[in-house]
Amino acid sequence: KNAPCIIFVDEIDAVGRHRGAGLGGGHDEREQTLNAMLVEMDGFDTNRGVIIMAATNRPDVLDPALLRPGRFDRHVIVDNPDIIGREGILKVHVRNIPMGADVDLKKVARGTPGFSGADLANLVNEAALLAARHNKKFVEMNDLEEAKDKVLMGPARTSRVISDKEKKITAYHEGGHALVSWLTPGSDPLHKVTIIPRGHALGITASLPTEDRYNRSQKEFLNDITMLLGGRAAEELMLKDITTGAANDLERATTLAHRMVCEFGMNGLLGPRTFGRKDREIFLGRDFVRERNYSEETAERIDQEVQKIIATSYGRALGLLRKNRDRLTRLAKNLLEREVLDGDEVDRLLRGGGGASVATATRSAAAPSRPAGA
């Protein structure tokens, strides 16, 4: 009736989910909507001038009949923007916001790898709110930096009362993360270390790469695991006790080691193979019962490989901290006094004074690192 036209269906997974995807199947209204859509898009009628487009972020749950020739048979994958795209997106969002003379959008784009368009829009909005809160007429660079920290690490919870004992534990924990990262050649440069609670964490150590990268090496994964275990190692070394603060670090380190063995073939015992299906959300009717394509003996060897990676990385973190105990003490003391240190301040602090010399080669950038938190 309206040809020529373009029909756009957003979030098509809301009505285009796999039919019968439930315990016992179903005939709800979504399936009827999907059936009507499939009939209209049967591929036999020559409705020239009518183009149908759809979008979803869950293509894995779509009904296969939707993706056949004559229907949605051309797929366009939209990735997160690269540094040039991020700079262009930032320029769009700052058009109606007065910017200070010190604002460098290229620097902001370089410091936000992995950010989506929505993240960047949120960053600019948060920076504007921060500037307005301080009665500024322009958004300055420090507002954008603080907004980036809020988007990256969560809002600072300055009203939360923390005892001196817990502050000391958090300072050594975050200092362990930061020092291990600083001492490890090839790790991502430190962005910020803080013992101010953000989100659900009592403290956060965040690293950011210097450029976009789409491949990661085995050495980079091992560096990440070692850095994640640095907090627990610092607690054991300096406080002679361990706390629950490393729970999230241990979970992420174990998941990363398991992926190295089972998905990426990065192991010395099992060879270049993958094991099991990729982890995804359970989709009733299709993923409820998972097939395991390896034996109990292989499962035991996988556990051994994961344990070996974790134990070796933990021993490496402990060794680095033992050789640089004075640096760790200095870093924790400064964190207790100032609560927040950026990457340059940590670098100057650790380079000053004594301590075992450790090669700090030029760090190569890797995929965006998520913050390690206590």
Side-chain angles (χ1 to χ4, degrees):
K1 181 178 178 180
N2 293 304
C5 66
I6 298 175
I7 300 174
F8 180 73
V9 185
D10 198 11
E11 303 292 353
I12 194 173
D13 58 280
V15 294
R17 281 177 173 260
H18 198 291
R19 287 170 292 182
L23 296 178
H27 293 283
D28 59 16
E29 65 277 6
R30 288 179 301 179
E31 290 195 1
Q32 305 309 316
T33 305
L34 174 59
N35 289 334
M37 187 182 298
L38 292 175
V39 170
E40 294 295 331
M41 298 176 63
D42 58 13
F44 289 100
D45 289 340
T46 56
N47 292 322
R48 295 178 181 176
V50 178
I51 298 174
I52 304 181
M53 301 171 62
T56 178
N57 58 356
R58 288 299 309 274
D60 54 309
V61 302
L62 293 179
D63 193 278
L66 269 177
L67 308 178
R68 289 178 184 151
R71 290 170 180 155
F72 295 110
D73 53 355
R74 288 172 177 80
H75 305 160
V76 178
I77 298 174
V78 182
D79 288 322
N80 285 337
D82 58 11
I83 183 170
I84 298 174
R86 291 195 297 273
E87 185 181 358
I89 292 171
L90 286 168
K91 288 179 179 177
V92 170
H93 290 300
V94 302
R95 278 185 305 194
N96 299 320
I97 298 176
M99 289 283 140
D102 64 336
V103 172
D104 184 356
L105 293 181
K106 189 181 291 290
K107 184 177 179 181
V108 177
R110 194 184 309 118
T112 51
F115 275 47
S116 66
D119 289 328
L120 295 170
N122 190 29
L123 185 150
V124 173
N125 186 52
E126 290 291 346
L129 290 173
L130 287 169
R133 198 171 296 155
H134 293 92
N135 296 317
K136 296 180 181 179
K137 294 184 178 180
F138 301 94
V139 174
E140 299 173 345
M141 192 66 182
N142 61 339
D143 297 317
L144 287 165
E145 288 292 334
E146 176 61 27
K148 180 174 70 174
D149 291 342
K150 187 174 181 180
V151 173
L152 185 70
M153 301 183 291
R157 301 168 67 184
T158 52
S159 61
R160 189 170 185 177
V161 179
I162 306 293
S163 67
D164 291 340
K165 180 182 177 181
E166 287 208 330
K167 277 188 177 180
K168 181 180 178 182
I169 294 172
T170 306
Y172 276 109
H173 183 102
E174 300 305 329
H177 284 309
L179 183 56
V180 168
S181 177
W182 188 82
L183 292 168
T184 306
S187 64
D188 293 334
L190 281 169
H191 168 60
K192 189 161 287 189
V193 187
T194 175
I195 59 171
I196 296 175
R198 282 183 177 269
H200 296 290
L202 294 178
I204 285 179
T205 301
S207 299
L208 281 177
T210 55
E211 60 185 10
D212 295 310
R213 292 222 18 214
Y214 304 101
N215 283 315
R216 303 213 65 194
S217 68
Q218 182 176 7
K219 185 177 180 181
E220 289 169 346
F221 281 130
L222 292 174
N223 287 345
D224 287 349
I225 294 174
T226 304
M227 184 263 198
L228 285 168
L229 297 175
R232 166 59 67 88
E235 290 180 14
E236 181 180 330
L237 181 66
M238 304 302 292
L239 305 173
K240 309 302 180 186
D241 198 5
I242 54 177
T243 70
T244 59
N248 182 253
D249 299 328
L250 298 177
E251 179 183 353
R252 287 164 52 196
T254 304
T255 300
L256 191 51
H258 198 273
R259 292 189 69 192
M260 288 177 66
V261 175
C262 294
E263 291 185 35
F264 308 135
M266 296 177 177
N267 59 81
L269 184 64
L270 299 165
R273 278 188 58 192
T274 60
F275 301 93
R277 299 175 59 183
K278 289 185 179 181
D279 291 332
R280 62 175 66 165
E281 295 179 31
I282 292 179
F283 191 48
L284 295 181
R286 193 172 70 189
D287 294 340
F288 194 75
V289 179
R290 299 187 178 208
E291 179 184 359
R292 197 169 79 173
N293 59 356
Y294 51 87
S295 65
E296 290 294 336
E297 181 183 353
T298 301
E300 187 174 340
R301 293 164 73 187
I302 290 173
D303 288 341
Q304 291 172 359
E305 280 291 299
V306 172
Q307 176 62 27
K308 179 182 175 182
I309 291 173
I310 296 294
T312 303
S313 299
Y314 189 67
R316 183 184 174 199
L318 267 177
L320 288 172
L321 295 178
R322 280 199 185 100
K323 292 178 182 178
N324 296 271
R325 187 189 292 256
D326 59 332
R327 280 177 165 154
L328 178 58
T329 302
R330 196 185 320 142
L331 184 55
K333 183 179 178 181
N334 274 267
L335 279 172
L336 285 170
E337 290 175 356
R338 300 178 55 191
E339 294 188 327
V340 180
L341 296 172
D342 64 29
D344 292 336
E345 291 171 331
V346 171
D347 188 67
R348 288 194 297 270
L349 180 67
L350 295 179
R351 288 186 186 280
S357 62
V358 178
T360 52
T362 302
R363 295 176 171 92
S364 62
S369 298
R370 296 175 65 85

